[in-house]
Amino acid sequence: MDPNKSTHLQMARSGNGSRGQKIDLLTNHFGVNFTTSKSQHFFQYSVAITYEDGNPVEAKGIGRKILAKVQETYQTDLGSKHFAYDGDKILFTVGPLPNNKLDFSVVLEDMSCTRSNTSTSDANTKRLRPHNQSKRFNVAISFAAKISMQAIQGALQGKETNDLQDAVRVLDVILRQNAATKGCLLVRQSFFHNDAKYFSNNHGGFHLCRGFHSSFRATQGGLSLNIDVSSTLIVSPGPVIDFLVLNQEVRDPSSIDWKKKKQGNGETKEVEVTVYDYFTKHLEIELRHSGGLPCISVGKPKRPTYFPIEQCHLVSLQRYTKAPTIFQRSKLVKESVQKPQEKMNVLNNAIKDSGYNNDPMLQDCGVRIDSDFTQVEGRVLPTPRLKVGNGEEFQPRDGRWNFNNKKLVEPATVTRWAVVNFSARCDTKRLISDLIRCGRMKGINVDPPYKVVFQEDPYYRGAPANIRVEKMFEQMQSELRKEGIEGKPKFILCILAEKKNSLVYGPWKRRNLVEEGIVTQCIAPTPKINDQYLTNVLLKINAKLGGLNSLLAMERSPRAMMPLVTQVPTFIVGMDVSHGSPGQSDIPSIAAVVGSREWPLISKYRACVRTQSRKVEMIDNLFKPVTNEKGKQVDEGIFWELLFDFYISSGKKRPEHIIIFRDGVSESQFNQVLSIELDQMMQACKFVEENWEPKFTVIIAQKNHHTKFFQAEGPGNVPPGTIIDSRICHPRNNDFYLCAHAGLIGTTRPTHYHVLYDEIGFSTDDLQELVHSLSYVYQRSTTAISVVAPVMYAHLAAAQMSTAVKFEDSSETSSRHGGITTSEAELVPPMPKLNANVASSIIFTLPLLALVIILFYQNLNEGCCGGGDGKTEMILTEEALRKVLGISKAASSGTRIAAGSAWEDIRGPDPLPLFFRDVIESWRLWWAQGCISDWFLVRKTGRSEDNQHTWEPKRSSQMYEGAVTSFEARSEADQRRQEREREKHPKHLEEAIAPPADTWEKTRQRIVAVLIHTETSQLLWSMNQSPSDLLLPRRRLNRNNRSSLKKGKTIRMGQRALQRVPPSLPSRTPSLPPPSSSSPSLRCAPSSRRPLRPRPMSSHIVGYPRIGPKRELKFALESFWDGKTGAEDLQNVAADLRRSIWRHMAGVGIKYIPSNTFSYYDQMLDTTAMLGAVPSRYGWESGEVGFDVYFSMARGNDSVPAMEMTKWFDTNYHYIVPELGPSVKFSYASHKAVEEFKEAKALGIDTVPVLIGPMTYLLLSKPAKDVDKSFCLLSLIDKILPVYKEVLIDLKSAGARWIQFDEPILVMDLDTNQLQAFSDAYSHMESSLAGLNVLIATYFADVPAEAYKALTSLKCVTGFGFDLVRGLETLDLIKVDFPRGKLLFAGVVDGRNIWANDLSASLKTLQTLEDIVGKEKVVVSTSCSLLHTAVDLVNEIKLDKELKSWLAFAAQKVVEVNALARSFSGVKDEALFASNSMRQASRRSSPRVTNATIQHNVAAVIKSDHRRSTKVSARLQAQQKKLNLPPLPTTTIGSFPQTPDLRRIRKEFKARKISEIDYVQAIKVEFEKVVKLQEELGIDVLVHGEAERNDMVEFFGEQLSGFAFTSNGWVQSYGSRCVKPPIIYGDVSRPKAMTVFWSSMAQKMTKRPMKGMLTGPVTILNWSFVRNDQPRYETCFQIALAIKDEVKDLEKAGITVIQIDEAALREGLPLRRSEQELYLDWAVHAFRITNCYVRDTTQIHTHMCYSNFNDIINSIINMDADVITIENSRSDEKLLSVFHEGVKYGAGIGPGVYDIHSPRIPSSEEIAERINKMLAVLDSKVLWVNPDCGLKTRKYSEVKSALSNMVAATKLIRSQLNKLRRRRRRQRTWKINDKDLSVWFKGPSSCRLKFLVDSSCSHSLSHSLL
């Protein structure tokens, strides 16, 4: 049968695709216009050129010169016709010549041939060898054929006729002739000019010459001219001797290796004179080198003609055909690279300079060529989603992805491996440690290699490559024996000094693949090895060892988008033929075919490689029927081998669809693919079964074409995924161009796919999407590749096997055009047979070990599998295992597996117990393939009808839990080991998955494990032991058992015969469900040596509490401040806390784990230190900011006060406010972020460093004291960004892959300028952020629409974090517009409350987001940092079970995040979700939550105003009459120091260690001490010191209904200050009086007013964990009603001053101005409810903590309190500015006069100065003097001194005021109407009091104002 004629016809196009986003493109096709010429045909003539004696002319290049002479001489005889000559034997004309046969004779005077019409130098002239010195030539031209031009006309209309190819060929010949007349070198349709501007640098005697390819193409849009830049290698013109010196890289001609050059025939002949003498003496030519050099022979063998080599010159434009070295190739690639815009400019110039429209032949044809690029419409296909480890899905960006913070989907295990170094300069120790570390980060369990690194003996470095390899193996075997290591390594990492194709590479590969059967990976590392390099190496290693790096999400999706592939067994094949390098005629061609395996996977392939006749392109071994030794006909072809592998690996499923991808064939060979290769594959299928007829699809992949695409708008390459199937594609055939990859270097070259045959019936879109997807499954790359993976694997397999065939040159050239299409009758050397260990692993080496573990639950009195003696002993032989697992040939007869009486002969019909038989039947294929190397369990449930035991799968994770539960430590060392195990596996996780407690008590457990070799089926080891033994140290088999294993003898697996050998197992799950539908999916169990670390899903934690579960940081800080411990002790405590936090998150399975969220005091202060923005008063100049400066800024010191502290947004956390100004010099002064990242990395945990964003930092700062308050803080943005950049560079150098910027300021109402500054800041950092994934996190509220737009428009950002608990409007913004390709960090787990997440509701929110942004782009996160919640619920042992089941602290929220992430990714824990739903329902229905009476009371008060009837001015007069207080009355805020004795008393009373009487007496004593101290100091209004209270909120909550309290639910407020917020879980009421007893007791101790101390409802609300099942204001009103009752009772008890603290009123203020009014309305209302019914003489005080109150001053006035005290000292009296602005405040006010949060004691002069500042804006009648806040955290020594100074300063000011009054000056009044005036009064003590006067209205200023 003619191979060019196929019974399978090439299919026509069925239509164009429609999927994808349209894109306008340009292509290097130029339109062809055709006008009908006078003649309608081309005429083809044959040309015969002979010498005068009739011998044919064979010299190349002379023909064109002869034909040109003919045209010049015989123009009239030719009818003045122009013709196109192909340079050989064919000539074309437009219209006929005068005669069908013409004979001419011409004489050429110049017998040389030049390749340029511009140069005639000797160097450019090629000397020809004339035949018999004749210069006359005879030319015979005879008619051959006629070709219609109508085919061209049809092509212009997008039609194809039978004559089109012939017509196009004529046009191409015209182009070649056009170039030939210009002296170009012609290489097919490429033309190279003899012009130095097209030459590159000299590379070893040759140049890269750049030219152009031109060819006509028939397309759907008509005929077009395809022009592209082309390149070839040419010999450098000049002396031959110079070429040889350069080519061999030697210094001078004497060093040339002449053996490498072609020699003559070796014959010698005596002559009378030497060549040297002839040239020097006869021709008088000086020869400098030739005396000792060979000559060049240019004659015939029998009549040689010799020339001295130095007299020979190489002419220009001769092709260099030797393959360049890899170094030369690298340089050539760089030189040939052209960016798209550059290439377009070159092609534009080429088409203009070509002169094609002036070519006479083209003019005769009527052909004109456009000068503009053709416009085409492409489509950008959506990027397929990929899946990596832990079920995480993601979508690559720009055709690229990485494994930063990702695990491999199926990581392999690297054990028993070695490292060899062939003289490379490399730090092998560091390389190994980095490789192990990086591997474990990717999920690859890399054991340490053999202790020795095998360094090459320097003596052999210069030896031949095969000797070097041999000596390396001898050395390796010798040293392993010395170390007592038996057997070969399973894997060898080979370090080469040169690149991959060094001389050692080939012999090394052959030795390992063919002789040893060892998997090997060669590397040639650079001096600086980064994680990306190591990751790339690990990807290759993992693939070779049977792992899977990533796969398409659709491969395991039940909703896959390609049902023809994923729902029907589909076999995908890639084929390629590799031919030897140029000049190697003795090298056979290598045919490589790869086939997919483990359907429905399309990411795994196996290769089969065979040799065939050299230069034969068609594969002839696809089907090879032979007769075996038994006389049976079998198929030994490639296709059957791969087909059988597919069948076995895919659960015994035959493929119904077969898709063939063929590489390396030209269009002229398409029919041969169908007639030869496709026919062979169909025959192979028929050979299996006559009626089996799978459907085939055949697709050709071509890379060797010249079509390029450019973006119509933009200079860059086309985006990855760009597909073109119209306009320039074939007018009839089904083809398309695809640029699947991202072109990073030069211009992207698309792959041209031709669909030759499609029985399957793909739609156009489905087929194109499949091809696109297959570009993303190449396991050795993290980019989409340019051609489908099966083709790439086939090429790789051929290249790999070429090293086993030859060593001389390891580079191979993939098949391209020109290969021989049929086999020649020649001897083909056979392919070396691979070692069995790697025979199936040329692409993917399968794991060599399979581990099976079965857990037996046995009754105490029952033996294994039915034996009743209780003394079970299981005997397994190697042969039995082979037979059971079906891996090898059957064992000899009589082999048994025995255990008790239930084990039968394995040859019988039911050879194994039911459980073993069913499990093995379901899983043995996977065992045999090595895909299962994990644990699974079966549990006995009873007996079946046939009296056999039945077994069901059990959750494998429970085995570890049970093992830990039942573990009994046998020694102190074992106890320590157990504690370590428990630390790694937290208790809160155990609760979720642990089996019932009695499971292990009622049963006796045995674990039977066997480890087998999948290729040889050798039993390697086994064990039979209890789960508790799994935690024992690993021990080796004893010598006897090892020898038995080697000999294959029977091994008794009892404890006596076999030592306890707990395995070290990888923790990965099977990649697919079991082949048997009846066998349920079984999960893997954790390693026995350490707890299982779950696979990280797409989960993230914004931040984590830093204080420790039991306030470890607080106690360490205070001990350090007190001088009891040193800095090292503090740092050790901090390191332990960080370590436990990171390990907890990693252990749970969080993917994005934050670092740098830990702080010794405050993260804003940390940022100040990082930026070096230390105020000058602290004496810091440069260097690293240490503890002394750091804590001085936070707490002050003896000489300077602390920096201001204020609330962090609307939380109870306080931050240190930066003080900035134009003179601040920023510098990188704290490396904490980098140090903590490295610290985590050293633990094997890859974290996300967190930084406060530059905008948040600046906008939360304040101008320094000496800076004008109007100073724009954002003007400093350009000064701090360089420091941020330094930090980023430092982090990248440390290996950071992610960076998180916290920018909560974005939830505020920012103006346009601020938003622009935000955008500019991150744009400015864009270059520094390159290489990092950037997350910007916002939290606490909705992000305004303008800020959302500015944020999501940032290009440098990878992901955006939003609070979706408090940010429902943000969710709406996301639904409308979210940037494509970005990650959404969805904060669905509340970070500010302690209620268990409603997992189902959150999952619905996530599913909503999935529809918007895609599943792979959603990361489950917390709404904000967990800093604002308690640490760990596991420490709460006193909470009742019901309430505890409703809660989740930080540790539990981490678990919730991961559970949601797993469920969202498809791994839903149904039991956990069901339990969560039950707990949510329990809380909703619990009677302890709702009280109808309370609800009714609240409804009643909502509608009233509750304002006191008398105005504050009248009330103050009444109160002054009753209290008789002096001017500037002094008081304290409430609490006095909480001493250790006091805390001990309270603790003992709660523990009932002391009686109530004793407790009351102890408190009374404390009261008396406090009262006495205040009276001695001269305080006017006293407090009792709150000795009975542990916390101002907890104290009241404990006495109110609806509250619950924790033991360790501490939350950081600032520094070491921690609070333990109560939990408001239900309706609130006051069962009885709370403070009356204590306040009455204290009042009786003094005649001075004693304040009754209460906490206000808003503060109790804001400082508690509030129920989230009703509006907050309803809960607040409930508390207000309870406090109102308490106020009434205090008043009745005679308490005349009652303080109702609202410290946190502003704290709850919504961040958005639009929401603030509503909050302030109900918050102020709630306060007024508490005191609306008291008498006018009862003075109501309130106190407020750090915040900026200026913007809510009107609401404060509206609270209608009689006196308000406010923290003020640390804010530079910022509060006073509001009074400067004219705010009228008539009630009493006490701005704090000194900072109680600092241990620093202010002087009386300092306090007096502050009082004077206050008097400048406040009336002395309303001003109170008091500290900033309660004195609870201070020591008595500090309190006494500070209060003493405060009273002294107050008395000083009073004295001055009294003296001023006693002078009784006449009252003076001024009327001021014209301008602002400053009126000064001078008192008798030179006390200057300044009053600011507003000119906007008339004022009366009187001296009595004082």
Side-chain angles (χ1 to χ4, degrees), residues 658-677:
I658 300 177
I659 304 172
I660 311 295
F661 287 96
R662 181 64 160 94
D663 183 32
V665 293
S666 64
E667 295 179 19
S668 63
Q669 297 171 316
F670 286 177
N671 284 335
Q672 298 171 34
V673 172
L674 297 177
S675 63
I676 298 175
E677 296 181 340

Side-chain angles (χ1 to χ4, degrees), residues 1021-1023 1025 1033-1037 1058-1063:
W1021 66 265
S1022 54
M1023 73 176 184
Q1025 55 189 234
R1034 181 167 185 157
R1035 301 190 182 103
R1036 294 180 178 274
L1037 289 172
L1058 189 64
Q1059 298 272 350
R1060 295 169 177 171
V1061 189

Side-chain angles (χ1 to χ4, degrees), residues 66-132:
I66 295 172
L67 264 293
K69 188 69 173 180
V70 169
Q71 188 172 29
E72 176 186 345
T73 307
Y74 301 99
Q75 187 173 11
T76 303
D77 295 332
L78 295 172
S80 300
K81 289 283 185 183
H82 298 103
F83 56 75
Y85 174 53
D86 71 349
D88 191 9
K89 297 179 179 180
I90 298 177
L91 178 147
F92 298 98
T93 62
V94 178
L97 293 174
N99 297 299
N100 286 341
K101 186 172 178 58
L102 297 170
D103 293 305
F104 304 105
S105 178
V106 293
V107 176
L108 287 185
E109 300 295 336
D110 182 10
M111 287 297 296
S112 66
C113 173
T114 62
R115 287 222 171 92
S116 175
N117 58 354
T118 60
S119 176
T120 58
S121 67
D122 292 341
N124 286 326
T125 302
K126 187 173 182 179
R127 182 179 179 87
L128 295 179
R129 194 173 56 217
H131 183 76
N132 294 330

